[in-house]
Amino acid sequence: MDNKDNLVLKSLSSDEINKIEEFRKSKHTAVLAILFSDIVNSTYASEKLGEQTYSKLRHIHDELFTQIMTRDNAGVIIKQIGDSFLCVFAEPSTSVLRAVEFQRTIRQNKDNLTINDYTLIVRIGIHIGQVVVENKLSMDIFGSQVNRAARIESIANGGQILTSQSIWENAVGWLKDNNEEEIGWISYGKTRLKGIDGKIEIFGFYSKENGPSSTPKVFLKQRKKRALLGLTVIVLVAFLSFFLVKIFNSKSNKKVNIENTSGRKSYYIQFDFSETPNLDTSLLNEIFLSEMITAMYPDSILTENDLIHSLSKQGKLYKRHANNNFDEGKYFSDTLHLFGAVSIKSIRQNNKITDTIAYYTKFQFWYDGGSTVSDDTLLSSIKDLKNNFRNWIQKRITEFRIKDELGVVLESNDSIVLFQIAKEAKPRLGASLSFRRQYVNKEGLAIWLSEYNKKFAYLKDKPQFSEQLKKEKLDFEKDSPEITYDLTNTKGGWMIKLKDIESKVTELYDSVGKATWVNKGIYPFVKPKKGDLIFLDY
C-alpha cells in the first residue's frame, strides 16, 4: 500500500471488532500482537506489468500469507486493504516466528514472484497493544495500536520485519528459551513516527540464513545528522583544547592549590634531564607537559614547581623524592592526595645522534586499596616525540582506569548487550564502553588458544590480509610463552581487551544496563559474551 495517509486505520467495522474480540477470548489474553504487512511499490508494479499480470503475483502472495499466518489458528487476518494485511496474534513470539517464516518463504519463491525486472517483496511492522477495557474491546485503543504497527511497517525496507520495543521484550526471551537459534535480531535505536508523540525504539528480526536487511532510511538520515554534529563538536573541542593548553602554559608559574574540590582528579609530572644536558630541556618540558594536559583533560596536571608553591603557601617544605620512586611512604597518594604520577628521566646515549632522546617513563595510578604501575624505556626523534609520547600516555590511561569498571555482561546478541552494573559504578547514558575478557587457569588458556586459532584460520585463505596474519603470528609468539606460563603455573589470570568493538550505553536501570555494540574490525566472530567485563572507554 503506497499511501498510508489515505488509510483510516481506526475505522474498523463492528464485524471486524467482533472478530478480534472472539479471537482474544479464545486465547484468554488481554493483549494482542498486531501485524501489518504491505507489498512494496505495488502501484508501480500494477502500472508497469498491467493489473492482470500483477494480480497473479499478488494471488501467490495472498495464498502464502494466509496459509502461514493462520496455520494452527495461531493468528487471524482481520482485514485486507489493497495490498496490505492486518493480522493479530495472541503471542508476540508467534507473530515474530510467522513473520520470519513468511519472509523466508517469499525469498524461496522468488522465481514465482518475479516477472520481467520486478520482484514482489514485502515489509512488515509488528506492535503489541492493550485491547481490553472493562472486559470488552475498545475500538479507540485498538485503533491507535494498529496505527502504530502501520507506522512501524512504513519505515521498513523491502523484505524487512520491524517491531516496537514491547514486541522485542516479550519475544526475544521466549525465542531464546525455546532454542529458536535461526532467528536473529538487531536494535536500530529510537526514531519519530508520523502522528505519534515521542520517539519509538525500533528492533528488527530476521532469518540468520539470510542475514539482516539494510538499515532503514530513517536511521541512515539520523546517523548522517549525528555524524555532522559530531564533526562540529570535534572541531570545537580541538580549538578549545588548543586554547586550554595556551592558557595553562601562560599560568604554569602561578600558585596551584593541590586540594581539588571540583571533583577532578590531580596528577603529578616530574622531569629529570640531567643525563642529556645537550638537549633543549625547555622544549622537552613543553612537549611532555602539553601532551599530558591534553590526554588527561578535564583532570589537572601538577608540576614540581606547582607542588613547591602550593606546599610553601601551607607552610610545608617539598622534598623531591627519588626519581621514579612514588611509593616512599605513599607521600604522593596519601599526603598530596594525587590520583597518579608520571616520571620522565632521559637516558645518556653513547651514539652521536643529537636529534633523538632515549627516556625512561613510569606512570603510577593509586586507588582505594592499591596501586598499579606501567613503565617503559622509549626512543624517539625530537620531531616525533609529541606523537610517540601521546600514544604511550593514552594507552596507559586506557589500561589503568581501574575505577572505571562498570560491570559484567549478562546477555549478548549481534547488536545489544545487557550488563550487571558493578557496585559503586556510575555509568551514564551515551558513555562509550570497552570489553575485556578474563582467562583463568588451564581452561582460560584453552579458550585463548582457540580464539587465536580461529583468527589464523580466518586469515589463512585471504591474501588481502597477509600482513595482518604475519602480525597476529608475531603477537602470538611474543605473548604465548608468558600467558601459557601464568595460566598453567599460577592461580591468577590474564585480561585482554576485545579490539575493534564500539559500544554505547542506551538504557540504565537500578542494577542493569543496556548498550548497543558494533564490530568495526576484520574478524566477524569477535563479539562480547556472557562474563566479559565492561569498562568506560576513553
Side-chain angles (χ1 to χ4, degrees), residues 311-441:
L311 293 174
S312 175
K313 186 178 179 180
Q314 300 172 37
K316 299 177 182 178
L317 179 65
Y318 171 74
K319 179 181 178 181
R320 182 186 179 101
H321 279 55
N323 201 65
N324 300 311
N325 186 357
F326 298 129
D327 289 324
E328 295 181 8
K330 294 188 177 180
Y331 174 78
F332 289 91
S333 60
D334 293 353
T335 303
L336 301 183
H337 307 293
L338 298 174
F339 190 74
V342 175
S343 172
I344 299 172
K345 177 179 174 60
S346 63
I347 301 172
R348 186 190 304 274
Q349 299 182 73
N350 294 324
N351 56 47
K352 297 182 179 180
I353 300 176
T354 59
D355 64 342
T356 63
I357 177 174
Y359 58 101
Y360 173 72
T361 300
K362 179 178 180 178
F363 199 162
Q364 183 161 358
F365 287 87
W366 295 286
Y367 55 94
D368 295 341
S371 67
T372 184
V373 179
S374 177
D375 60 336
D376 283 298
T377 299
L378 306 172
L379 178 67
S380 174
S381 67
I382 302 299
K383 178 182 177 182
D384 296 328
L385 179 60
K386 180 180 291 188
N387 288 334
N388 291 342
F389 179 68
R390 179 191 304 161
N391 292 337
W392 185 88
I393 201 74
Q394 288 178 341
K395 185 177 180 181
R396 300 289 81 79
I397 294 167
T398 300
E399 290 176 350
F400 295 128
R401 292 271 184 173
I402 301 298
K403 297 288 282 186
D404 291 329
E405 180 179 345
L406 289 188
V408 61
V409 175
L410 297 174
E411 297 290 345
S412 174
N413 72 359
D414 290 339
S415 63
I416 288 180
V417 293
L418 301 178
F419 60 94
Q420 181 76 43
I421 300 174
K423 186 178 180 181
E424 298 183 359
K426 296 180 180 179
R428 66 184 187 278
L429 291 176
S432 296
L433 305 179
S434 65
F435 299 86
R436 304 183 191 184
R437 185 160 298 161
Q438 290 181 306
Y439 303 88
V440 182
N441 300 333

Side-chain angles (χ1 to χ4, degrees), residues 236-340:
L236 291 175
V237 169
F239 277 110
L240 178 61
S241 299
F242 173 79
F243 286 113
L244 284 173
V245 171
K246 288 292 185 181
I247 292 171
F248 185 90
N249 287 337
S250 67
K251 298 182 178 180
S252 60
N253 290 323
K254 294 185 177 181
K255 296 180 181 179
V256 178
N257 184 3
I258 62 174
E259 295 295 335
N260 195 329
T261 59
S262 66
R264 297 185 299 167
K265 301 181 180 72
S266 295
Y267 296 81
Y268 169 62
I269 186 167
Q270 176 177 295
F271 305 108
D272 181 356
F273 301 125
S274 59
E275 294 292 321
T276 53
N278 58 309
L279 295 177
D280 185 345
T281 57
S282 61
L283 174 63
L284 296 177
N285 270 281
E286 181 179 349
I287 291 174
F288 285 118
L289 183 58
S290 65
E291 291 308 312
M292 273 289 292
I293 293 172
T294 302
M296 305 303 292
Y297 179 82
D299 293 334
S300 58
I301 308 299
L302 306 178
T303 65
E304 189 169 9
N305 284 337
D306 295 330
L307 291 184
I308 292 173
H309 285 305
S310 180
L311 293 174
S312 175
K313 186 178 179 180
Q314 300 172 37
K316 299 177 182 178
L317 179 65
Y318 171 74
K319 179 181 178 181
R320 182 186 179 101
H321 279 55
N323 201 65
N324 300 311
N325 186 357
F326 298 129
D327 289 324
E328 295 181 8
K330 294 188 177 180
Y331 174 78
F332 289 91
S333 60
D334 293 353
T335 303
L336 301 183
H337 307 293
L338 298 174
F339 190 74

Side-chain angles (χ1 to χ4, degrees), residues 98-109:
R98 296 299 169 92
V100 172
E101 180 184 350
F102 176 67
Q103 293 288 28
R104 186 190 300 119
T105 303
I106 288 291
R107 290 188 180 92
Q108 292 171 348
N109 285 272

Side-chain angles (χ1 to χ4, degrees), residues 459-502:
L459 298 174
K460 184 177 179 182
D461 299 322
K462 295 178 174 60
Q464 69 271 30
F465 294 138
S466 59
E467 292 301 317
Q468 181 68 23
L469 180 59
K470 291 179 184 178
K471 181 180 182 302
E472 291 286 2
K473 288 184 175 180
L474 287 174
D475 290 344
F476 179 78
E477 291 172 0
K478 180 183 71 174
D479 297 337
S480 181
E482 185 176 359
I483 292 179
T484 300
Y485 177 83
D486 284 353
L487 296 185
T488 304
N489 297 283
T490 71
K491 294 182 180 180
W494 275 75
M495 185 185 297
I496 298 177
K497 180 179 178 180
L498 300 186
K499 295 181 179 179
D500 302 318
I501 300 295
E502 292 186 4

Side-chain angles (χ1 to χ4, degrees), residues 207-223:
S207 170
K208 287 187 176 180
E209 66 182 85
N210 298 314
S213 302
S214 56
T215 303
K217 292 180 181 179
V218 64
F219 290 102
L220 293 177
K221 291 180 180 178
Q222 288 181 185
R223 291 176 186 176

Side-chain angles (χ1 to χ4, degrees), residues 118-149:
Y118 173 80
T119 299
L120 186 147
I121 54 176
V122 181
R123 57 192 179 196
I124 293 175
I126 314 176
H127 177 56
I128 193 171
Q130 177 99 15
V131 297
V132 172
V133 178
E134 297 178 356
N135 203 33
K136 66 178 181 179
L137 193 66
S138 166
M139 185 181 299
D140 290 337
I141 291 178
F142 190 73
S144 66
Q145 305 302 337
V146 173
N147 187 51
R148 185 164 296 207

